[in-house]
């Protein structure tokens, strides 16, 4: 027996294929606003977006600034001045429609639901995440969904996990496990919160000093051997 009673599950990159959703969404934005939907342009957006999310996770910028500034900077790099609001709104519409599951996600959630108190922990915009979770059917497997926008803080900040823990019956950190694909958001977040961590690492990325993963798996099916 694992000894766990409570499992926290990340969404994007762990249960839902956000990478594909992001690519499709950005290509639609580029086409809508008159730019080539090229690999070069989509990679440029990914680079800019990743830098803004990293700053957000470090607590350096607010969520509202992230959502508009990333597109302002992106379009500035493409040679057009904009405040980023129209581009963000259109992009959000595309994401709301995306709910592609990572293979094995539903099977894993079905298994975990029978044995544990299961919760979603995700950074993102509340309206978008709730729509995607409902469309994918994942919302039916969990007791509650904790989105960073509702919490007023985000993974990996301890304040985000304090928000979650205040709404979870289990109070013993030793009986909690977080599963996620992001070393900096999920695993470091689990470390900050004092709970056990399982790093879903399908690409076999290297770890980093100072971030401890208690478990590491390449496939979602491997998690069955842990819990």
């Amino acid at each position: 027996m694992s000894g766990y009673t409570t499992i926290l599950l990340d969404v994007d990159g762990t249960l839902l294929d956000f990478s594909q959703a992001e690519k499709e969404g950005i290509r639609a934005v580029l086409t809508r606003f008159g730019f080539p939907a090229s690999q070069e342009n989509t990679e440029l957006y990914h680079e800019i977006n990743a830098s803004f999310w990293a700053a957000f996770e470090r607590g350096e910028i607010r969520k509202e600034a992230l959502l508009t500034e990333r597109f302002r900077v992106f379009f500035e790099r493409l040679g057009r001045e904009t405040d980023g609001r129209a581009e963000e709104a259109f992009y959000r519409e595309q994401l709301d429609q995306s709910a592609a599951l990572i293979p094995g996600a539903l099977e894993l959630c079905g298994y975990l639901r029978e044995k544990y108190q299961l919760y979603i922990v995700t950074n993102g915009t509340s309206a978008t995440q709730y729509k995607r979770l409902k469309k994918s059917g994942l919302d039916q497997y969990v007791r509650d969904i904790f989105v960073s926008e509702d919490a007023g803080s985000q993974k990996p900040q301890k304040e985000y996990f304090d928000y979650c823990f205040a709404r979870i019956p289990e109070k013993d950190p030793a009986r909690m496990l977080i599963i996620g694909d992001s070393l900096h958001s999920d695993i470091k977040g689990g470390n900050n919160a004092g709970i056990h961590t399982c790093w879903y690492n399908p690409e076999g990325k290297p770890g980093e000093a100072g971030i401890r993963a208690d478990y590491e798996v390449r496939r979602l099916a491997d998690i069955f051997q842990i819990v």
Side-chain angles (χ1 to χ4, degrees):
M1 297 291 293
S2 67
Y4 301 121
T5 65
T6 303
I7 292 183
L8 311 180
L9 273 174
D10 173 55
V11 175
D12 290 311
T14 303
L15 301 176
L16 293 179
D17 190 346
F18 184 75
S19 178
Q20 184 61 33
E22 181 182 59
K23 289 178 183 177
E24 293 175 355
I26 291 307
R27 287 170 183 162
V29 168
L30 287 164
T31 299
R32 169 68 176 80
F33 291 94
F35 290 97
S38 64
Q39 182 175 347
E40 179 182 1
N41 284 344
T42 56
E43 288 178 353
L44 174 62
Y45 169 80
H46 180 74
E47 172 190 326
I48 292 169
N49 184 55
S51 69
F52 273 99
W53 274 103
F56 174 66
E57 290 173 356
R58 292 192 299 267
E60 297 172 358
I61 60 172
R62 295 179 63 85
K63 184 65 173 294
E64 296 80 2
L66 181 158
L67 296 178
T68 55
E69 282 296 295
R70 61 181 177 179
F71 280 104
R72 185 192 65 78
V73 172
F74 178 45
F75 274 72
E76 183 179 77
R77 294 279 295 273
L78 294 176
R80 181 181 299 173
E81 290 187 9
T82 175
D83 65 8
R85 296 183 185 279
E87 295 80 4
E88 167 61 29
F90 183 76
Y91 178 58
R92 188 63 45 194
E93 291 176 7
Q94 312 310 305
L95 287 189
D96 286 352
Q97 301 170 27
S98 173
L101 288 157
I102 288 177
L106 289 182
E107 292 81 358
L108 175 64
C109 288
Y111 170 79
L112 294 176
R113 178 179 61 179
E114 297 302 317
K115 299 180 64 179
Y116 306 97
Q117 296 177 26
L118 192 59
Y119 299 89
I120 288 291
V121 288
T122 177
N123 286 346
T125 302
S126 300
T128 294
Q129 295 301 70
Y130 283 118
K131 287 177 183 176
R132 297 172 69 229
L133 288 165
K134 183 176 182 179
K135 186 173 181 179
S136 67
L138 290 169
D139 63 334
Q140 300 299 309
Y141 291 86
V142 299
R143 290 175 176 246
D144 209 342
I145 298 167
F146 303 125
V147 187
S148 61
E149 185 175 59
D150 298 330
S153 55
Q154 62 281 334
K155 299 178 293 181
Q157 295 176 356
K158 184 177 182 298
E159 291 79 4
Y160 171 81
F161 288 92
D162 289 342
Y163 170 89
C164 299
F165 295 163
R167 292 157 178 80
I168 291 174
E170 180 60 72
K171 301 304 177 185
D172 183 356
R175 306 194 74 181
M176 300 183 192
L177 174 72
I178 183 171
I179 300 171
D181 71 301
S182 172
L183 193 62
H184 294 96
S185 176
D186 303 311
I187 307 309
K188 185 177 180 180
N191 292 167
N192 291 343
I195 65 176
H196 290 176
T197 60
C198 177
W199 185 21
Y200 171 54
N201 184 18
E203 297 177 3
K205 296 176 182 178
E208 292 186 18
I211 302 179
R212 185 194 74 256
D214 296 293
Y215 309 99
E216 181 177 340
V217 298
R218 297 290 179 87
R219 303 177 306 145
L220 293 182
D222 295 336
I223 296 172
F224 288 83
Q225 306 305 315
I226 296 171
V227 295

